[in-house]
Amino acid sequence: MNIAFIGFGKVAYTLSRLIKSPDINFLTSTEKRSNDTIDLINKSNIEVYDSFREALENAEIIISAVTPSKAVKVADMYGPYCNGIYLDLNNISPDTSEKISNVVDNFVDGAIIGKIDSKNPTLFLSGENAHKLLFLNDFLNVNIISDNIGDASKLKLLRSTYTKSLSVLLIETYDLAKKLDLEDEFFDTLSITDGDDFKDKSLSRINNTLKSSKRKAEELEEILNYFNSDELDMVNAALNKLKQF
């Protein structure tokens, strides 16, 4: 089986390492890719084609792993070359999932829950063809939500509404603690109620948010565009703060 990636960042890189089977071959292209992306592709030791069209036409499964703002454009460009399943793993809204479903055959709505490089990453899937990807359960935790396109994206948005807003609040509180020279005591205090590993998890969340603030801001914009933004005061505030990082 050939699986082709559109986009090759952390998600594609990690999946290519997680899904190890002699029956699965990964494909992609360096066409119009940055030097950093090309370096990551070379580290992955996967099959590289001169063009995405060639790679996609040779694949039974296509995985789109780009930024949310490019998801529809990528589907428009490369969807016609899809001969099998088209799996979108971008943090997009259900409305965006519907748009992609309208231009791509055999579409599956996907959402990675939590960090892709965690010990047991979880993949939510929805759509009539989601069951065709159950073989991935041999490599990560696969949860089929329903046959409805958009349901996986809805759950991802709900989770992101909470986690990304909370991450911004955590950064603000941590900055206050540092100004007061009480950062260790701050984590010690919260660890009493939130567990001994709270500090390590919090610092990881802070670093991840700061490193990928632009992408996380795009994800919050997807949330505000889908839900009634007038009712999401905390999300609006988190978005404004992310844009300052």
Side-chain angles (χ1 to χ4, degrees):
M1 176 186 293
N2 288 335
I3 300 177
F5 287 112
I6 307 174
F8 205 89
K10 186 176 183 179
V11 169
Y13 175 75
T14 305
L15 286 177
S16 69
R17 297 171 68 87
L18 276 176
I19 304 172
K20 289 294 186 181
S21 169
D23 300 321
I24 297 175
N25 185 39
F26 289 105
L27 322 174
T28 194
S29 174
T30 55
E31 181 183 17
K32 297 180 181 179
R33 299 295 91 190
S34 68
N35 290 332
D36 288 343
T37 299
I38 293 172
D39 287 342
L40 197 59
I41 291 172
N42 291 335
K43 289 180 184 178
S44 304
N45 194 31
I46 68 174
E47 192 171 344
V48 180
Y49 286 81
D50 291 333
S51 70
F52 277 108
R53 176 174 180 171
E54 187 179 4
L56 303 183
E57 288 178 338
N58 282 283
E60 287 80 36
I61 297 172
I62 294 171
I63 298 178
S64 173
V66 294
T67 59
S69 61
K70 295 180 179 178
V72 175
K73 181 180 179 180
V74 161
D76 283 332
M77 289 176 61
Y78 300 118
Y81 309 128
C82 178
N83 297 314
I85 299 295
Y86 187 100
L87 172 62
D88 188 287
L89 290 182
N90 304 300
N91 289 325
I92 55 178
S93 74
D95 288 341
T96 303
S97 293
E98 287 289 348
K99 290 178 183 177
I100 295 173
S101 181
N102 290 333
V103 299
V104 175
D105 293 330
N106 301 320
F107 175 64
V108 175
D109 179 25
I112 297 168
I113 304 301
K115 296 173 65 176
I116 184 60
D117 55 357
S118 63
K119 290 183 178 180
N120 295 299
T122 296
L123 178 62
F124 280 4
L125 302 174
S126 66
E128 293 181 356
N129 292 289
H131 66 280
K132 296 179 181 179
L133 297 175
L134 272 175
F135 72 92
L136 293 174
N137 211 30
D138 292 338
F139 312 100
L140 59 163
N141 298 318
V142 176
N143 189 341
I144 296 180
I145 304 302
S146 71
D147 288 342
N148 302 319
I149 293 297
D151 279 357
S153 294
K154 288 174 185 175
L155 285 171
K156 179 69 174 181
L157 280 195
L158 289 171
R159 186 179 188 277
S160 293
T161 300
Y162 169 75
T163 58
K164 290 178 175 58
S165 301
L166 185 64
S167 294
V168 173
L169 179 60
L170 179 62
I171 290 171
E172 282 195 341
T173 311
Y174 180 51
D175 285 342
L176 287 175
K178 285 193 292 185
K179 290 177 181 177
L180 296 170
D181 197 24
L182 290 171
E183 54 191 283
D184 289 336
E185 290 79 3
F186 162 68
F187 285 119
D188 290 342
T189 301
L190 288 177
S191 294
I192 295 172
T193 53
D194 292 346
D196 294 337
D197 59 352
F198 176 78
K199 180 177 181 179
D200 290 340
K201 286 185 176 180
S202 294
L203 290 175
S204 175
R205 171 174 283 188
I206 289 170
N207 290 333
N208 180 264
T209 300
L210 293 174
K211 283 172 58 178
S212 55
S213 59
K214 182 179 178 181
R215 176 174 59 80
K216 292 185 182 299
E218 285 185 11
E219 293 165 10
L220 287 184
E221 286 172 340
E222 288 276 335
I223 292 169
L224 292 170
N225 288 334
Y226 182 70
F227 296 112
N228 184 349
S229 61
D230 293 337
E231 298 177 354
L232 298 176
D233 295 338
M234 297 301 294
V235 177
N236 276 296
L239 175 60
N240 291 332
K241 190 69 176 184
L242 275 176
K243 288 181 177 179
Q244 298 174 26
F245 296 151

